[in-house]
Each structure stands twice: as structure tokens, then as C-alpha cells.
Amino acid sequence: MDAAAAASLAEIEREIVSRNPEHAFVPTLDRVRRVCELLGDPQHAYRVVHLTGTNGKTSTARMVEALVREHGLRTGLFTSPHLTSITERIQVDGAPISAARFVEVWEDVAPYIGVADRESVAAGGPRLSFFEVLTVMAFAAFADAPVDVAVIEVGMGGEWDSTNVADGDVAVITPVDLDHQEWLGDTVEAIAKTKAGIIKPGATAVVSRQAEAAEAAIEARAAEVGARLVREGRELELEGRHLAVGGQVVDLLTTTGLYTGIFLPLHGEHMGHNALVALAAVEALLSDGGVLDGGVIEAGFAGVTSPGRLELVRSSPTVIVDVAHNPHGVAALATTLQESFAFERLIGVVGVLGDKDAEGILAALEPVLAEVVLTKNSSPRCADPADLREVAVSIFDEDRVHIVEHLDDALQTAADLAERDDVIGVGVGAGVLVTGSVITVADARILLSR
């Protein structure tokens, strides 16, 4: 990235960040719909796979994009949040747009965002939020590319998420659980109802295995709009999986047939389920009822990456980062650690946001951690680790809990603890896990030069 592009990107990012953040917004589609109208509705210029859910959205979206691209189609991918650079959120053909291209897109859409901002403020409303601006930029960038298919991940919820001005040919709903209750509701059923709002008339809804209440809400929405349902546990099944070097091999049963021996370079049973749903979504988009080419599917899955998801970022000791930030996600992480890694001593570095279920997160981590280091990430919303000490001690006991406010010091403390009393040899059987928040992982990746 040249200096001029970097400076322009930083200036634009400051302007966007000055708006209402992703967690503070007025839930309506009106502002984004107005900008898109002024731009000529770029979100209708390509086919769309739209994804929501509580866990697994980003990994599944990356799988869908890789499979579609392997079929020779040009792809756009919009995910959130980012780990290192804001440009990661908008990808074309599997790569983040450049800083220079990000600047160009902003300059193209900024006048129209200004119009919508002024109209909203005049009516007593807010300017477009941070996420709404990025949504508009993604839609415009994909139309300009142009892409054949855009894979769009919601920011939060579904029904009133700014991405929902797009009409997904395929709606994907990954597992729904309690999260963001202050915005989405206090029950799984209420959250599922909001998320099911992305299912559009005549679309295909591909649905991961769900709790009964969530499934009922999703099925009700599909019936209301006349959407076709393809559900894990009914029309879809993860038929088999076994561990392999660097990941796993899975057998995936879809509505058209059985795909066997597919290598997936990602760890964990949950990733196998994500792969099943991703394949079903691509079938719904591209297949006319027949089985897709097995060689193409194998090549697509083989190229999938998922940064920040059980990602190895350093060795001696081994340091793994994972963005799990709610009890459901952490439980899947813990299961995968026990299945796929042979740590004799694993130390956790945990930083969580203040609105998250810290007790549930720590309880799910306890079986796999020898000790835990509570710390802070760069977000002003991060919970003070000292405030979590009592909860942590009730789960781990006092000798296993450490408070280190700064993340860089926490990482060093964890590394020292991991290798303490290592009788086999430095780095062998010892590990550090960084988790609890996307921001904690993003900060750690930067500190560890990832």
C-alpha cells in the first residue's frame, strides 16, 4: 500500500468511524434503501446469497464464496467485523479490495450518502451508521466490478439489518442462539424470528440444525413468503467426518446426492456442519436439480481459509486465536481443541466485551484451560478484567486466574505460564489460546504480526 493511499484510507476510515458504531443504531432499512435508490439500486445487479445466524456466519460465507468462485463466476464477499484492515470487509474474487479502490468507492458514494444523511437529520433521525455506510460501499463495489454473485453476511439480526435491502436468491441461517439480546430479544424464538427476516418470497432458505423454537420461527417465515426450505437434519446431513492433517475429511449429503471424501482445511465438527450448509446453498444457487461437479467442489473447499477461527499464529509455544465470543461458540471451540490438538498445558488469554456472557464463556473454557489470563482489548466496550475476577475464581479457583490489563503483557504472561515446568521441551505440548472477542483476536494478531 503506497503512502498516499494509506493516508486517504485512514482519513476516510476516521470519517466512517465517527458515525454511530455497529452496536448503536436506529433499526430501519430506510436510510440504506434511500442511498441505494440514488445509486440506481446496485444491490440488484447480481445474484445474492444472504447469510445470518449467531455463530458460523463468516466461515460459511467464505465457503460459499470459494465454491461459487471455483465454478468460474466472479464473486463479491461482504463480511464483518474485520481483523486488521477495514478493506477486508469488501472482497472481490476472494481478495480484499485495495486501499486505493476503497477510497474510490467512498468518493463515488459519498455525495449520495450526504443526501440521505441530510434528509434523515431533517426528519429528526440520525446519519447513516458506520455499518450502513460500509453496506452501501459493498453494494456499489460489487456492481462496479461487476460480480456475478455477492455473498452477503448480515451485521446483526436480519429483518432490519442494512444488508436486507438486497433480495437473496438463497438465504442461509446458521445456528441461532442467545446473543445481542438487547437488540434481538431475550429468547431464541424471538432472535430466530428477526433473523428469518432475510428469507424473501420465492427464495430458498438453507437452514443449519436449530433448537426447536428457532426452527419453528424460521419455518413460519418460510411458509409466509412461499420460500423453499432445505434443512439440516431433514434434507441435509453430515454423513461422516474424520480427522486429517491440517483439517478433516467430510461426507456431505444434500438434496441431490452424496459428496464423499471432501477435504476441508479447517478444524472442528462445527466446520463440517458449516460446509454442509455452504454446499447446499451453492447447489440451490447454481444447480438445476443435479449434483454439482465433485472435482470443482473438492477444489473449492480445499482453498477455504477462515482467519481468526482456530488460527495458528505462532509456535514455541503454540499460539492459537479464535473469535468465539458467546457460550455456544466457545463450547464448539473447546470441543475442537480436545479433538484436534494435543495440548498438555493450555493457557487462555481472554478479553470479552462488557455486554457478553463472560460467565458462560469462562465456564465453557474451563475444561480445556490449565489457567486463564483475563485482559483488555482496544475497545472501550471491553469489560474490565478486574471486574471479572470474582466470576472467574468461582469457575477456575484462585490459583488458576491471573489479571493482566494490557494484552501484550497478557500474551507474555500466558506464554511463560504455558512453558512453566515443561519437562518435555520448550513448546512441546504447551499452548496459548486467545479468545473471547473478535477485537481481542484482532489486537493479538496485530501484536503477533499477523
Side-chain angles (χ1 to χ4, degrees):
M1 185 190 309
D2 64 57
S8 296
L9 176 63
E11 181 180 352
I12 291 166
E13 186 170 2
R14 282 192 295 272
E15 199 289 328
I16 298 174
V17 169
S18 72
R19 296 166 174 270
N20 281 352
E22 288 168 288
H23 62 280
F25 54 90
V26 177
T28 175
L29 301 180
D30 292 345
R31 293 179 296 276
V32 169
R33 185 177 285 125
R34 175 59 173 150
V35 181
C36 287
E37 178 185 69
L38 293 169
L39 287 168
D41 286 322
Q43 76 278 17
H44 298 321
Y46 32 78
R47 303 186 72 188
V48 170
V49 178
H50 201 181
L51 297 97
T52 190
T54 302
N55 294 297
K57 296 187 298 295
T58 300
S59 296
T60 305
R62 293 177 73 94
M63 292 181 198
V64 171
E65 186 278 331
L67 292 172
V68 172
R69 179 160 39 90
E70 195 64 34
H71 279 84
L73 298 174
R74 196 162 202 207
T75 58
L77 176 64
F78 181 54
T79 60
S80 62
H82 60 274
L83 290 174
T84 304
S85 170
I86 197 170
T87 61
E88 296 168 20
R89 297 182 181 227
I90 304 174
Q91 299 190 24
V92 174
D93 284 340
I97 62 174
S98 67
R101 180 62 187 137
F102 191 95
V103 172
E104 289 174 354
V105 175
W106 164 256
E107 291 174 344
D108 287 343
V109 303
Y112 304 99
I113 288 173
V115 171
D117 281 344
R118 291 188 292 273
E119 291 178 352
S120 180
V121 170
R127 298 187 304 160
L128 269 76
S129 71
F130 172 87
F131 187 75
E132 288 172 331
V133 168
L134 290 174
T135 300
V136 169
M137 290 180 65
F139 289 155
F142 296 157
D144 287 346
V147 305
D148 300 303
V149 176
V151 181
I152 307 291
E153 177 189 339
V154 305
M156 186 187 299
E159 179 182 1
W160 37 256
D161 186 79
S162 61
T163 62
N164 207 30
V165 300
D167 294 325
D169 299 83
V170 181
V172 177
I173 304 180
T174 63
V176 175
D177 201 4
L178 294 176
D179 201 12
H180 300 300
Q181 288 101 308
E182 58 269 52
W183 295 286
L184 303 180
D186 292 327
T187 66
V188 168
E189 180 180 13
I191 293 171
K193 182 177 179 180
T194 298
K195 291 181 183 293
I198 70 167
I199 303 174
K200 300 298 176 60
T204 297
V206 179
V207 184
S208 297
R209 194 181 302 273
Q210 304 287 346
E212 185 176 341
E215 185 174 49
I218 294 166
E219 290 178 348
R221 169 64 181 180
E224 177 188 346
V225 299
R228 170 179 172 244
L229 272 173
V230 179
R231 297 155 293 187
E232 184 179 9
R234 301 194 188 185
E235 294 81 14
L236 308 173
E237 201 67 59
L238 177 61
E239 284 286 293
R241 58 181 294 271
H242 62 265
L243 302 184
V245 176
Q248 58 190 301
V249 174
V250 294
D251 301 329
L252 308 176
L253 179 64
T254 70
T255 57
T256 64
L258 179 64
Y259 299 78
T260 60
I262 303 294
F263 175 67
L264 181 65
L266 301 171
H267 296 286
E269 182 178 354
H270 60 295
M271 287 297 185
H273 291 286
N274 291 346
L276 173 66
V277 170
L279 176 57
V282 175
E283 275 194 341
L285 186 76
L286 302 181
S287 171
D288 292 324
V291 177
L292 296 174
D293 184 282
V296 174
I297 297 304
E298 288 178 2
F301 275 126
V304 169
T305 61
S306 196
R309 280 79 182 169
L310 275 166
E311 181 185 14
L312 175 65
V313 296
R314 180 165 289 189
S315 57
S316 191
T318 299
V319 179
I320 290 175
V321 298
D322 192 277
V323 298
H325 57 274
N326 55 50
H328 182 270
V330 173
L333 164 63
T335 298
T336 302
L337 286 167
Q338 292 171 317
E339 175 187 82
S340 301
F341 297 88
F343 290 115
E344 295 183 4
R345 181 173 174 79
L346 183 65
I347 309 299
V349 175
V350 180
V352 301
L353 298 187
D355 60 344
K356 299 300 180 182
D357 180 3
E359 183 175 5
I361 289 170
L362 291 170
L365 285 171
E366 192 277 334
V368 297
L369 297 183
E371 302 180 49
V372 63
V373 181
L374 300 177
T375 190
K376 290 186 73 173
N377 59 42
S378 60
S379 171
R381 298 167 55 215
C382 189
D384 188 328
D387 293 340
L388 301 180
R389 186 179 186 281
E390 184 176 346
V391 170
V393 168
S394 71
I395 296 169
F396 283 85
D397 76 49
E398 191 165 3
D399 292 342
R400 297 168 64 198
V401 177
H402 309 269
I403 307 295
V404 181
E405 183 166 346
H406 299 292
L407 181 57
D408 53 351
D409 296 331
L411 291 169
Q412 185 60 57
T413 297
D416 293 342
L417 289 168
E419 295 184 327
R420 187 183 66 193
D421 303 326
D422 189 347
V423 297
I424 302 175
V426 174
V428 179
V432 173
L433 169 70
V434 184
T435 191
S437 167
V438 175
I439 298 169
T440 304
V441 166
D443 292 347
R445 290 176 90 254
I446 292 170
L447 287 169
L448 297 169
S449 301
R450 295 295 290 188

